[in-house]
Amino acid sequence: MLPYGRQSISADDISAVVEVLQGDWLTTGPAVDRFEKAVGAIAGGHRAVSATSGTAALHMAYAAAGVGRGDQVITTPMTFVATASTASILGAEIVFADVEEDTALINPAVVDAIATDRTKVIAAVDYAGHPADYDALQRTADRVGALTLDDAAHSIGGTYRGRPVGDLADLTTFSFFPTKNLTTGEGGALVARTPAMAQRAHEFHFIGLVRDPSRFRITDEGPWHQEVHDFGFNYRLTDIASALGLAQLRRLDAFARRRAEITARYDAALAEVEGVRIPVQRADVDPVRHLYPVRILEGRRREVFERMRAGGIGVQVNYMPVYWHPVYQDQGYRRGMCPNAEAFYAEELSLPIFPDLTDHEVDEVVDRLVTALT
Ligand SMILES: *Cc1c(COP(=O)(O)O)cnc(C)c1O
């Protein structure tokens, strides 16, 4: 089965990992520092904190933002459940804002209409790798005193109005799962615009340990002393994974170029095919396409999905609206809330896209899709 996404691992990636295994540090060593600095450098020059997953990075971001009971978090339903669930776990009320009909990105006008002084975070998702409209979202956030968050699990390496992903919101989170734009196996990272927010995220991912003597509240212990002021988790990324991440980061430009080539090849082949809508791109963004989401019209998505899978093409559907999950239905969220997201979900089909996908394989996917439609 040709998968919808997969990692690309080179000989250099492998030797970077082997080198760590032969050294002194398996975790919380120099490779973690180097990886965090490299991620920060491509993400607007802000401090980055690595994490065990994109989900962990989202949990860290909401914790660093101070999200808790009584707070509202506005987010998009067109995402993986973790964008919302990690705020729910902290006690926040999730308010889902519908998406734009064409991009499936959170609609800033809807966000502006529903934001209140209880809104703590406005969390956008760069669906398929296409950055959301952060200038508009930031205006609303500033008006109500909220923070912006970019769940950039799909979009590392992309730009919006000339600014890199990582510099678009107060907080940005990445996932380095194997299907994403670069991988550490499992892994993720957070980038924060302010050092204070990055430090809070760092402590949350490090069991809440405070190690700076100038902040100690217990001052009569010895040089071994460390203390906890707020609870945290162990969400630390290993040096093994960080070495892979560093090696992968060096290939990100090449990955982005190949994803753009595949996108252009699909666009050209599918633009005139009846029954299919190809993804749109706004003029002010330069995305790194994590997904290639087409829309299958006339109620035929499931049938086409099944035919493609039967033909060995590992298509995927991204995503069922988050509030359809029983955990949210149990809380009283109802279908019909976000009609654009539901209409998008009903038609969406993700075609294979990953750096090692060949032109020949792209053509085969197109042939299979055209056949499935006839
Ligand atoms: C993959 C993904 C996550 C979660 O990342 P993990 O590393 O799998 O925990 C969060 N949000 C979105 C939009 C994702 O695609």
Side-chain angles (χ1 to χ4, degrees), residues 160-185:
Y160 163 83
R161 299 189 175 164
R163 281 145 51 207
V165 169
D167 197 29
L168 307 180
D170 295 308
L171 290 153
T172 301
T173 60
F174 299 120
S175 166
F176 306 131
F177 188 74
T179 56
K180 305 294 167 78
N181 291 352
L182 68 92
T183 192
T184 59

Side-chain angles (χ1 to χ4, degrees), residues 53-55 58 79-80 82-83 125 151 153-154 175-177 180 187 319:
S53 68
T55 303
L58 283 161
T79 184
F80 182 61
T83 315
V125 172
D151 178 348
H154 296 182
S175 166
F176 306 131
F177 188 74
K180 305 294 167 78
Y319 297 91

Side-chain angles (χ1 to χ4, degrees), residues 25-82:
W25 301 86
L26 292 188
T27 194
T28 320
V32 172
D33 286 338
R34 285 207 302 275
F35 183 48
E36 289 182 344
K37 286 199 170 67
V39 169
I42 65 151
H46 306 296
R47 180 175 172 194
V49 181
S50 56
T52 46
S53 68
T55 303
L58 283 161
H59 196 192
M60 288 153 57
Y62 290 123
V67 168
R69 230 159 279 285
D71 294 326
Q72 285 178 342
V73 168
I74 298 177
T75 193
T76 166
M78 190 41 60
T79 184
F80 182 61
V81 65

Side-chain angles (χ1 to χ4, degrees), residues 82-324:
T83 315
S85 62
T86 48
S88 295
I89 278 174
L90 291 165
E93 177 201 342
I94 309 299
V95 184
F96 292 99
D98 204 359
V99 297
E100 297 173 338
E101 195 277 334
D102 56 349
T103 61
L105 297 169
I106 195 166
N107 186 332
V110 174
V111 172
D112 196 61
I114 62 181
T116 71
D117 57 6
R118 282 179 55 213
T119 307
K120 192 84 167 191
V121 174
I122 296 170
V125 172
D126 300 335
Y127 178 81
H130 186 304
D133 187 357
Y134 288 97
D135 285 352
L137 295 170
Q138 193 69 53
R139 274 196 298 278
T140 301
D142 291 347
R143 180 173 65 72
V144 300
L147 295 167
T148 51
L149 189 157
D150 175 1
D151 178 348
H154 296 182
S155 62
I156 192 166
T159 65
Y160 163 83
R161 299 189 175 164
R163 281 145 51 207
V165 169
D167 197 29
L168 307 180
D170 295 308
L171 290 153
T172 301
T173 60
F174 299 120
S175 166
F176 306 131
F177 188 74
T179 56
K180 305 294 167 78
N181 291 352
L182 68 92
T183 192
T184 59
E186 298 281 1
L190 165 149
V191 170
R193 261 192 196 140
T194 69
M197 198 94 69
Q199 183 60 26
R200 279 210 295 280
H202 174 82
E203 284 169 20
F204 186 77
H205 105 303
F206 214 108
I207 311 108
L209 291 172
V210 173
R211 293 172 147 183
D212 171 5
S214 73
R215 291 173 54 211
F216 284 169
R217 284 157 55 185
I218 301 169
T219 53
D220 54 354
E221 296 301 315
W224 59 85
H225 181 66
Q226 48 186 344
E227 61 185 38
V228 169
H229 299 177
D230 289 297
F231 296 128
F233 288 82
N234 177 353
Y235 280 159
R236 294 186 304 245
L237 192 64
T238 64
D239 274 53
I240 304 165
S242 297
L244 178 55
L246 267 167
Q248 288 263 301
L249 261 180
R250 287 194 280 275
R251 304 174 61 205
L252 183 59
D253 285 346
F255 288 163
R257 273 196 302 279
R258 183 59 193 149
R259 286 178 181 275
E261 284 170 9
I262 293 167
T263 297
R265 199 169 181 90
Y266 276 137
D267 283 351
L270 295 173
E272 305 301 328
V273 174
E274 218 168 303
V276 178
R277 250 175 91 181
I278 62 173
V280 298
Q281 183 178 323
R282 297 278 187 254
D284 55 0
V285 304
D286 188 10
V288 176
R289 277 236 172 260
H290 162 59
L291 299 173
Y292 190 84
V294 296
R295 297 176 69 161
I296 305 298
L297 308 179
E298 292 148 28
R300 301 189 62 199
R301 193 271 312 274
R302 181 169 182 163
E303 171 198 348
V304 171
F305 178 100
E306 286 170 350
R307 285 190 183 183
M308 298 283 282
R309 281 282 179 103
I313 310 295
V315 288
Q316 184 59 284
V317 171
N318 305 92
Y319 297 91
M320 181 177 81
V322 168
Y323 58 83
W324 284 25

